[in-house]
Amino acid sequence: MGRLFGTNGVRGVFGEDLTLDLALEVSYSLATYFHDKPILVGYDGRHSSPIISKVVRAGMNALGIDVANAGLIPTPCLQFCVKRLGYKGGTMITASHNPPEYNGIKAIAHDGVELSREDELKVEAIYFNKNFRYLDHKIGDGTDEHRAIESYIDGIKSLVNADLIISKKLTVVLDLGNGAQAVTAPKLMQELGCKIITINSTIDGSFPGRGSEPTPDNLDLLSKTVQQNSADLGIAYDGDGDRSIFCDEKGNVYGGDESGAILTDHILSNNKHAKVVTPINSSALLDIIARKYNATVIRTKVGSVEVSREMLKSNALIGLEENGGFMYGKHIAVRDGAMTSVLMLELIASRSKRLSQVIGELPKFHQHKTKFKCTKEQSNRVVEHLTSNAKGKVETLDGVKIWVDDFSWVMVRQSGTEPVMRLYAESNDSNLLNEIVESYSKEIRNITDGP
Ligand code: MG
């Protein structure tokens, strides 16, 4: 049997890989799998999203499933509303941070989290066997879910000290990246008394501003706007608003490891002994922070769904990825750019220090990420070679992670979405980090460029 779902739902170029015919059959498969109603459907700001949403809703209706339309919202808003408003499941039309020509269909369980791999297999079996089942139920003509945005905003505000944040009258620059947080994040922060300056704020599926994926390299405008306006903080979101990247009052942009570390410290300071879930490729900073509060760090394979499902299983309070995906268990065990932003506002409001000082006090780690073109067969050989020749401690939860000393490691793994091998490395010593990256890159090239 083939595969329908990739690491993050059904995804591909609209009209080529992801056609409306495919969307219709996926909707039949999801309707058969859910076999319960109602289901909530939302979509991001891509040009092809409204039509895919219409087809998916019509397909579910055709099998007797009542569907409500949440309209254009961020992915975490849809996920939160499935759980909070009592839907039996959800479907989000989004390709997250992928280029404009892409789109995708993401299936959400009744708990608001993406389906587990086990459940995806059930949907795939229905799809490939065309085993569609009709739910004997009279359907309505489709309703709109008007409560989504308000429920989401109120849900987030209820989990932080809103009065404290309001009292500080913070100035925040939001780089909305022409994406879906434009409908929620500015309103949320205005309600928290912030002065908001927005950039790339028009929703546009061609992502003309800085593309749909925020990285430290494409956030110059955010950085400058923060400095020009003497803002307290800058925040950038990806296309569907589940990831957030932060910039301090001086315009320095941080990776998800550093912003995640200070948020973890902030949350654990009020919740000692809690559990933190993070993939094996994120920084050792997390372990240092967790030790301060006797908290437990649970490492998973790479992938946000791995983190979410582990959070539910172990009843964890925090989940985080190095790419700016942060999860707060009291809200919902999925990445949420707006929830994360408001936790950051609370952190700033509760300290007498500026954000640059708070991050500056973290133990200093240097990170490096790179990738190599690589077939699956080559990547297996790389992993085998590095594993059997490793001198330090080796972990093989996902690809291979080799510890060079107590504070330095290198990890390689095959990408789940592209024919590339990714290398991650970290050290508290920048010279050692360069040496590690250079020597391991050479070993990988010896295999991938070989005859
Ligand atoms: Mg995303």
Side-chain angles (χ1 to χ4, degrees), residues 136-148:
D136 190 14
H137 167 68
K138 267 201 185 113
I139 57 152
D141 59 357
T143 49
D144 289 332
E145 177 50 88
H146 296 292
R147 298 168 296 173

Side-chain angles (χ1 to χ4, degrees), residues 134-197:
Y134 184 79
L135 179 69
D136 190 14
H137 167 68
K138 267 201 185 113
I139 57 152
D141 59 357
T143 49
D144 289 332
E145 177 50 88
H146 296 292
R147 298 168 296 173
I149 291 174
E150 208 181 322
S151 305
Y152 176 63
I153 287 178
D154 289 348
I156 291 174
K157 283 196 304 187
S158 73
L159 293 176
V160 290
N161 187 340
D163 291 338
L164 175 70
I165 297 172
I166 291 168
S167 75
K168 299 287 176 172
K169 297 186 173 56
L170 298 169
T171 300
V172 183
V173 180
L174 295 178
D175 179 348
L176 297 155
N178 306 108
Q181 275 296 356
V183 301
T184 38
K187 185 171 189 296
L188 167 64
M189 283 176 227
Q190 266 152 9
E191 291 185 18
L192 287 169
C194 299
K195 182 184 165 199
I196 300 295
I197 297 144

Side-chain angles (χ1 to χ4, degrees), residues 264 267-268 271-278 290 294-298 310-311 313-319 327 329:
T264 299
I267 295 168
L268 290 180
N271 299 276
K272 294 182 178 62
H273 312 292
K275 290 178 187 143
V276 181
V277 180
T278 190
N294 277 323
T296 311
V297 176
I298 301 169
E310 180 60 42
M311 279 181 76
K313 207 172 95 190
S314 56
N315 197 21
L317 186 58
I318 297 167
M327 312 180 189

Side-chain angles (χ1 to χ4, degrees), residues 235-429:
I235 313 170
Y237 302 105
D238 75 330
D240 67 331
D242 54 2
R243 276 161 54 185
S244 45
I245 296 288
F246 293 92
C247 160
D248 69 22
E249 80 287 352
K250 292 181 175 165
N252 301 308
V253 177
Y254 297 97
D257 277 324
E258 286 158 310
S259 56
I262 59 168
L263 287 170
T264 299
D265 192 303
H266 174 62
I267 295 168
L268 290 180
S269 67
N270 299 315
N271 299 276
K272 294 182 178 62
H273 312 292
K275 290 178 187 143
V276 181
V277 180
T278 190
I280 187 156
N281 65 337
S282 62
S283 175
L285 260 182
L286 271 307
D287 303 282
I288 294 173
I289 304 281
R291 225 169 286 142
K292 257 171 79 179
Y293 301 102
N294 277 323
T296 311
V297 176
I298 301 169
R299 297 273 176 178
T300 67
K301 290 184 178 187
V302 175
S304 68
V305 183
E306 299 280 348
V307 177
S308 295
R309 288 279 153 212
E310 180 60 42
M311 279 181 76
L312 294 179
K313 207 172 95 190
S314 56
N315 197 21
L317 186 58
I318 297 167
L320 80 101
E321 292 184 302
E322 46 74 38
N323 61 12
F326 191 88
M327 312 180 189
Y328 187 41
K330 284 184 187 174
H331 173 56
I332 182 168
V334 301
R335 301 175 294 187
D336 187 338
M339 181 74 243
T340 309
S341 302
V342 170
L343 287 166
M344 190 65 86
L345 295 179
E346 187 186 58
L347 179 156
I348 293 173
S350 64
R351 308 261 178 123
S352 51
K353 294 169 187 159
R354 308 299 308 265
L355 186 55
S356 63
Q357 284 173 282
V358 177
I359 294 193
E361 286 168 6
L362 285 172
K364 192 66 198 152
F365 280 90
H366 309 271
Q367 282 112 5
H368 189 90
K369 289 177 217 172
T370 186
K371 58 185 178 182
F372 303 87
K373 264 211 160 119
C374 190
T375 63
K376 200 155 189 212
E377 195 272 321
Q378 286 171 329
S379 96
N380 289 338
R381 271 168 48 209
V382 170
V383 170
E384 265 171 43
H385 171 77
L386 297 182
T387 308
S388 52
N389 288 286
K391 295 192 183 75
K393 190 178 105 184
V394 173
E395 294 175 65
T396 53
L397 179 62
D398 195 352
V400 58
K401 180 174 183 177
I402 298 163
W403 287 85
V404 176
D405 65 24
D406 287 351
F407 298 102
S408 311
W409 55 265
V410 57
M411 177 180 155
V412 294
R413 68 181 284 273
Q414 167 87 31
S415 157
T417 50
E418 298 170 75
V420 298
M421 173 141 234
R422 293 188 193 283
L423 178 147
Y424 309 85
E426 176 176 80
S427 178
N428 58 347
D429 174 341

Side-chain angles (χ1 to χ4, degrees), residues 17 50 67 117-118 124 133 159 229 238 277 286 289 341 360 399 414 434:
D17 319 307
V67 178
R117 183 66 199 135
E118 260 172 16
E124 285 175 352
R133 213 152 44 107
L159 293 176
N229 292 279
D238 75 330
V277 180
L286 271 307
I289 304 281
S341 302
Q414 167 87 31
N434 291 339

